[in-house]
Amino acid sequence: MSPNNLEDKLNNAEAAAFRWFSERKHFELTFFLVSFLGLAYYLISNELNFRYPFLYFSNFIFSFKTILFICFLSLGILYEENAQRRFYWMIIVFFSSAFLGYYFSHWYEKSHDIKTAFLVLAQSLLGFCAWSLWLKYRKVFLIWGYAIINVILLVLSFNFLQGVGWFYYGQPILFCAFIIAMMLESVDVSNAKKIALICNPAHLFLSVNYPIDTYLKEVNNDKKVWASGLVHIIKALFTLYVTCITYKLMSSGGFFWSSFKDYLMYLMTVITVGNTVTGISRLFLINVPICSNYAFLSRSPLDFMKRENAHAYAFSLRFFYFNFLKFTKNPLIIVLGYFLVFPFYRNVLIYFTHDEAYSLNNFLVFLWWGYFFWILLLLSIVLFPSRQLQKIKANDWWHVLLNNVFMYLVFLIFRYVRTIYN
């Protein structure tokens, strides 16, 4: 069986699960969802007593209860057929979930409740206004003005929300990228659809940056979309449980084993986060494409980046590459620029998944290590012998195996250099 055949079988099994759930009655879907959420809470909550600082896994642990809460409230979308009431329900879920995410993560510290709720509300309204004004006036200063105001919001987050969690620091960056992409794409939809996209609860965990037509695709069978979201949530929470068990079963071991453990944990976390983002979006009838698509079957490091986060990959091409291609025809300059900007954006978000109090020195050190990791990743892309494998007509499994070796080496070298300097 080739990797393509295995992927086809996995996709077909997933499609069969979609169809089976979409044919169930509403009360059956309710039973499945409530039963699964209860089981997930019982199993996973007993396993979330560890921290894994190499990844942004700690943030996902903090978000676990909020995810269950959001999934349960998506039943309102399933049962309510009126589009306007669905729209209002999504807004209520979004803001209540933002508050609960803060409450569950930092229950011991309640002095910033109103401030955090205000920043979430301000950012959402700001994104709606900027997008609407752009569609009406098409003035470039609106984009720059929106970006500057987001920087101000970020500064306000630093000043008022020290130590309250990554979302309240990263949200201005996440939403700014999302809204500017929509503005540059000139996506023109109704105000209700605009607010629904801005208040997609999946934004609370990872920005759903996918500003192309499929993001806005209307689907006749709403229950089918909702059922597909349920399948993705089941995959996400099952993988989270397996990840927790795997982490505890794998001994610390030596240097090489620890690096392999890093890579394996990363692969499993990618599946968890990607399916969570896809699942929550679809539970609220936003039919986004699949975020993570079998990264362990990647044929090259570049293919790994594409599969690890398909939304970020597509966003980077349309928002970064093609727009900068208007100013320079040199793809190398664009690629280098991308590897300067995107790692900064991503590592800023990862930095704020940790609970440490903000420190400029700690942040710069963390940023340096983040860039070093991306340099290793870039080298793996450049050095991967794709042409040589094609010349000797190597089996596809050799591509998959060699890619996993290259990715393991990235984690190995990163851990080795960091061990030396620490």
Side-chain angles (χ1 to χ4, degrees), residues 173-193:
I173 302 174
L174 294 169
F175 271 37
C176 185
F178 173 73
I179 299 299
I180 289 178
M182 287 295 193
M183 292 163 73
L184 291 175
E185 291 280 327
S186 295
V187 176
D188 192 359
V189 293
S190 66
N191 287 338
K193 187 73 173 179

Side-chain angles (χ1 to χ4, degrees), residues 49-330:
N49 55 354
F50 70 93
R51 301 295 299 278
Y52 201 63
F54 184 81
L55 308 172
Y56 46 85
F57 195 59
S58 56
N59 164 60
F60 199 80
I61 290 172
F62 282 154
S63 305
F64 172 63
K65 293 179 182 179
T66 312
I67 290 169
L68 298 183
F69 174 77
I70 289 174
C71 292
F72 177 75
L73 292 185
S74 71
L75 288 171
I77 300 293
L78 176 65
Y79 281 93
E80 181 54 67
E81 296 183 357
N82 183 278
Q84 188 174 20
R85 286 197 287 268
R86 278 178 173 174
F87 160 69
Y88 289 128
W89 182 245
M90 178 182 287
I91 295 176
I92 292 171
V93 172
F94 178 79
F95 289 109
S96 61
S97 300
F99 176 81
L100 279 179
Y102 166 79
Y103 177 79
F104 285 139
S105 302
H106 305 276
W107 56 269
Y108 50 83
E109 186 181 331
K110 301 182 180 180
S111 59
H112 296 299
D113 288 0
I114 297 177
K115 294 176 182 177
T116 52
F118 171 77
L119 279 176
V120 172
L121 176 61
Q123 180 59 31
S124 304
L125 292 176
L126 178 63
F128 173 77
C129 293
W131 190 357
S132 301
L133 289 172
W134 169 258
L135 291 173
K136 185 175 182 179
Y137 297 108
R138 311 278 179 172
K139 300 294 183 181
V140 177
F141 78 86
L142 289 171
I143 295 179
W144 285 105
Y146 174 66
I148 291 170
I149 294 174
N150 270 274
V151 172
I152 295 173
L153 272 179
L154 188 60
V155 173
L156 288 175
S157 299
F158 284 140
N159 291 336
F160 293 122
L161 303 175
Q162 289 284 339
V164 299
W166 77 279
F167 172 67
Y168 305 101
Y169 295 124
Q171 189 192 14
I173 302 174
L174 294 169
F175 271 37
C176 185
F178 173 73
I179 299 299
I180 289 178
M182 287 295 193
M183 292 163 73
L184 291 175
E185 291 280 327
S186 295
V187 176
D188 192 359
V189 293
S190 66
N191 287 338
K193 187 73 173 179
K194 227 177 287 179
I195 295 177
L197 290 172
I198 291 172
C199 294
N200 176 2
H203 282 303
L204 302 176
F205 308 102
L206 187 68
S207 181
V208 191
N209 286 328
Y210 203 90
I212 61 176
D213 295 340
T214 52
Y215 193 90
L216 305 168
K217 184 179 179 181
E218 297 289 346
V219 179
N220 293 328
N221 191 338
D222 289 342
K223 190 169 75 168
K224 186 175 181 180
V225 178
W226 193 93
S228 70
L230 175 58
V231 172
H232 282 290
I233 285 295
I234 291 174
K235 284 174 60 180
L237 297 180
F238 175 76
T239 308
L240 176 61
Y241 178 69
V242 172
T243 303
C244 295
I245 295 297
T246 302
Y247 176 84
K248 292 185 174 183
L249 290 178
M250 293 178 72
S251 58
S252 57
F255 175 77
F256 292 95
W257 179 250
S258 297
S259 300
F260 176 74
K261 185 178 179 181
D262 284 341
Y263 178 48
L264 183 61
M265 290 290 290
Y266 186 84
L267 280 177
M268 299 180 77
T269 306
V270 160
I271 297 172
T272 300
V273 176
N275 279 281
T276 298
V277 169
T278 305
I280 290 177
S281 298
R282 293 187 180 185
L283 284 175
F284 287 86
L285 305 184
I286 301 176
N287 192 31
V288 301
I290 296 173
C291 180
S292 298
N293 188 27
Y294 307 120
F296 59 89
L297 290 177
S298 303
R299 275 62 159 186
S300 68
L302 189 60
D303 187 35
F304 179 86
M305 291 184 63
K306 178 180 178 180
R307 291 170 177 268
E308 180 238 4
N309 190 333
H311 293 178
Y313 181 82
F315 174 80
S316 301
L317 285 179
R318 295 183 69 89
F319 177 60
F320 191 90
Y321 183 83
F322 289 115
N323 279 294
F324 275 82
L325 200 61
K326 299 173 184 177
F327 302 100
T328 175
K329 301 299 181 181
N330 190 332

